[in-house]
Amino acid sequence: MKILVSGWGEQNFGFLLEDGRLREVFPADRNGDALCVGDIILGRITAVVPSLRACFISLISGTEREEKAGGPAFLPFSELAGEPEKLRPQQLLPVQISALPMGTKPCRVTGKLSLDGRYCVAGLGYRGVSVSKKLSGAAAEFLKKSCEAWNASESGSIGLIIRTNAGELAEQQNPEPLLEESRELSRRLSKIVEESSVRTGFSVLYRALGELERQIRDRNPAEVIVDIGSLGASFDESRIPDGLLRRYEDANGGRYLTVMGLERQLRGALSRQVWLKSGAYLIFDRTEALTVVDVNSGKSSAAGRCGRKSSREAAENAAFAVNCEAAEEIFRQLRLRNLSGMILVDFINMDERHRELLGERLRELCCRDPQKTVWVDFTALGLAEITRKKAGAPLEALLTKP
């Protein structure tokens, strides 16, 4: 796995590469004092609305600046670590940004403050020790047992979520890095809560890691390639560890994205139609409520056999082969385009046996996605139903302008 840092338009982006193919795109710039996901702000409550079971909270001083941020943030009572009955207008409350403004929607915030590390997340409002569902039973049991003694004696009101990355510690039977990180995160979170009582309104109590630093920490790439020929002046190379950094500059002035054929993949991810190697193709249509993907046989030689006078079994096998190829590419595109919410896929029609096999394959692909992705089932009309957790802006919003 590698990370490329390169310029696109007027911004710098990170491009996650696996086996020479693009998997994810994320912003590589940290815009000075701009708010980021994970930042903890001492906000001021502007209104408490019991009928909505929520309150509105300002994160930035000044009416004009707040309007640019989408207005006061919406904080549901369910996202509070304390008692909602005690909330009053003009009260200062530490909150954490969980999503940045998008369109007409303001920031999403939570009162359940948390700090994340490579192996775990420590947070207020959590109960005891939880483990990522992506970890196997034996690994989860070993890690949870290792942390339960710490949780009972040291954590107080702070709970712990053990991340998938901690699975490597379970394989080594060495939980010490996890325990050390959990103690440090707990100590820092307690300090943030203490400081919130003596700080002024709109103070930044904690500034989260930028997306580039977070990806380097969590993904542990083999190298980080910096295309110095296309970067904007705002990029700071000091954020990359020296042992990982490799500078790229083409003698002919070419960009890494272009020379390695990645720009073609990127432009393909911004288009509505995606061709598969078999000759079949996918159509992506994104709406406000959901994303629809249509699988078409196109020029596929395998799918073409379905229309000739061949046996029914051969036709079903051909359709299944195309659908399996389409499923692999669909999940790569979901990750690359960063699509979320409800996703419906109209695969080529198959018999019940092949549909069940495809359902098992879709379940496996969901488990491989770093974001929480759930295979629900086929609907009564035969559409595959998938849900994917939202994290950050979709690729289209990052790289294009309306």
Side-chain angles (χ1 to χ4, degrees):
M1 181 188 298
K2 300 178 182 179
I3 292 178
L4 165 69
V5 181
S6 183
W8 184 276
E10 299 175 356
Q11 290 182 273
N12 300 314
F13 292 93
F15 302 88
L16 186 69
L17 311 176
E18 291 179 356
D19 302 323
R21 303 194 76 190
L22 279 175
R23 300 292 175 178
E24 293 181 23
V25 180
F26 52 88
D29 290 330
R30 173 89 199 210
N31 298 324
D33 297 332
L35 299 179
C36 288
V37 172
D39 288 354
I40 299 178
I41 313 292
L42 188 59
R44 186 183 299 278
I45 297 175
T46 58
V48 180
V49 189
S51 59
L52 295 178
R53 294 198 54 75
C55 64
F56 292 91
I57 183 164
S58 292
L59 306 177
I60 303 173
S61 61
T63 306
E64 291 185 7
R65 295 185 66 195
E66 187 172 75
E67 287 177 356
K68 291 180 180 179
F74 183 78
L75 177 61
F77 289 165
S78 60
E79 288 295 319
L80 288 171
E83 300 175 12
E85 293 79 11
K86 297 181 178 180
L87 296 180
R88 297 290 182 272
Q90 300 305 309
Q91 177 182 341
L92 296 179
L93 185 70
V95 292
Q96 189 165 29
I97 297 175
S98 54
L100 294 176
M102 184 173 296
T104 58
K105 297 179 180 179
C107 281
R108 289 212 317 266
V109 296
T110 177
K112 298 177 180 178
L113 310 182
S114 64
L115 298 181
D116 64 321
R118 175 170 169 77
Y119 300 116
C120 66
V121 178
L124 295 170
Y126 298 175
R127 294 184 178 179
V129 179
S130 304
V131 185
S132 167
K133 293 182 180 179
K134 293 188 177 183
L135 289 170
S136 64
E141 184 178 357
F142 170 79
L143 294 169
K144 188 172 184 179
K145 189 175 181 180
S146 301
C147 290
E148 278 179 344
W150 165 84
N151 189 66
S153 62
E154 300 182 30
S155 68
S157 60
I158 297 176
L160 201 67
I161 299 176
I162 300 174
R163 302 185 63 193
T164 308
N165 285 339
E168 62 192 54
L169 303 179
E171 293 177 2
Q172 302 165 7
Q173 294 290 297
N174 177 27
E176 193 54 39
L178 169 61
L179 296 174
E180 184 178 342
E181 183 178 80
S182 63
R183 294 189 191 103
E184 173 62 17
L185 293 176
S186 177
R187 183 190 65 79
R188 289 165 59 190
L189 186 57
S190 298
K191 187 176 180 181
I192 289 170
V193 174
E194 290 175 9
E195 288 184 351
S196 67
S197 62
V198 296
R199 298 287 292 275
T200 58
F202 312 115
S203 296
V204 179
L205 304 175
Y206 171 75
R207 192 166 288 281
L209 286 178
E211 191 62 28
L212 176 61
E213 292 92 334
R214 188 186 300 274
Q215 292 282 353
I216 292 174
R217 181 196 68 187
D218 294 346
R219 302 299 174 82
N220 194 23
E223 63 179 350
V224 180
I225 305 165
V226 176
D227 186 353
I228 60 177
S230 64
L231 282 180
S234 60
F235 184 73
D236 180 11
E237 286 189 10
S238 65
R239 295 150 55 199
I240 302 174
D242 290 335
L244 295 178
L245 179 61
R246 177 165 76 88
R247 296 176 177 85
Y248 174 84
E249 188 169 18
D250 188 80
N252 299 318
R255 305 175 64 206
Y256 190 94
L257 284 169
T258 305
V259 173
M260 303 303 293
L262 302 175
E263 188 170 1
R264 177 178 51 81
Q265 295 182 38
L266 193 58
R267 294 193 183 281
L270 293 172
S271 66
R272 182 170 177 256
Q273 183 171 326
V274 177
W275 285 96
L276 305 178
K277 289 184 178 179
S278 65
Y281 64 92
L282 311 173
I283 296 292
F284 285 81
D285 282 318
R286 187 164 160 261
T287 71
E288 190 74 20
L290 50 82
T291 298
V292 181
V293 186
D294 187 26
V295 181
N296 293 283
S297 57
K299 303 175 183 177
S300 170
S301 57
R305 289 196 295 270
C306 301
R308 295 197 294 268
K309 294 181 179 179
S310 56
S311 68
R312 184 179 182 84
E313 183 179 358
E316 290 289 347
N317 290 337
F320 178 66
V322 172
N323 283 337
C324 285
E325 181 191 19
E328 291 277 353
E329 183 61 23
I330 286 169
F331 274 83
R332 188 179 84 91
Q333 291 290 330
L334 293 181
R335 187 176 167 190
L336 179 56
R337 297 173 185 233
N338 199 18
L339 300 176
S340 58
M342 294 184 292
I343 300 157
L344 295 179
V345 185
D346 184 13
F347 286 102
I348 299 172
N349 290 335
M350 299 175 295
D351 59 21
E352 190 63 31
R353 181 176 68 87
H354 284 99
R355 182 180 293 183
E356 290 179 2
L357 292 174
L358 181 61
E360 293 176 5
R361 183 60 182 152
L362 293 173
R363 188 175 290 107
E364 292 174 7
L365 291 169
C366 285
C367 293
R368 282 164 42 182
D369 195 321
Q371 287 300 327
K372 183 179 180 181
T373 308
V374 179
W375 154 243
V376 182
D377 204 346
F378 286 100
T379 68
L381 297 177
L383 302 176
E385 191 176 3
I386 301 164
T387 63
R388 190 170 188 269
K389 182 180 178 181
K390 183 176 182 178
L395 182 69
E396 185 180 22
L398 284 178
L399 303 185
T400 63
K401 293 182 180 180

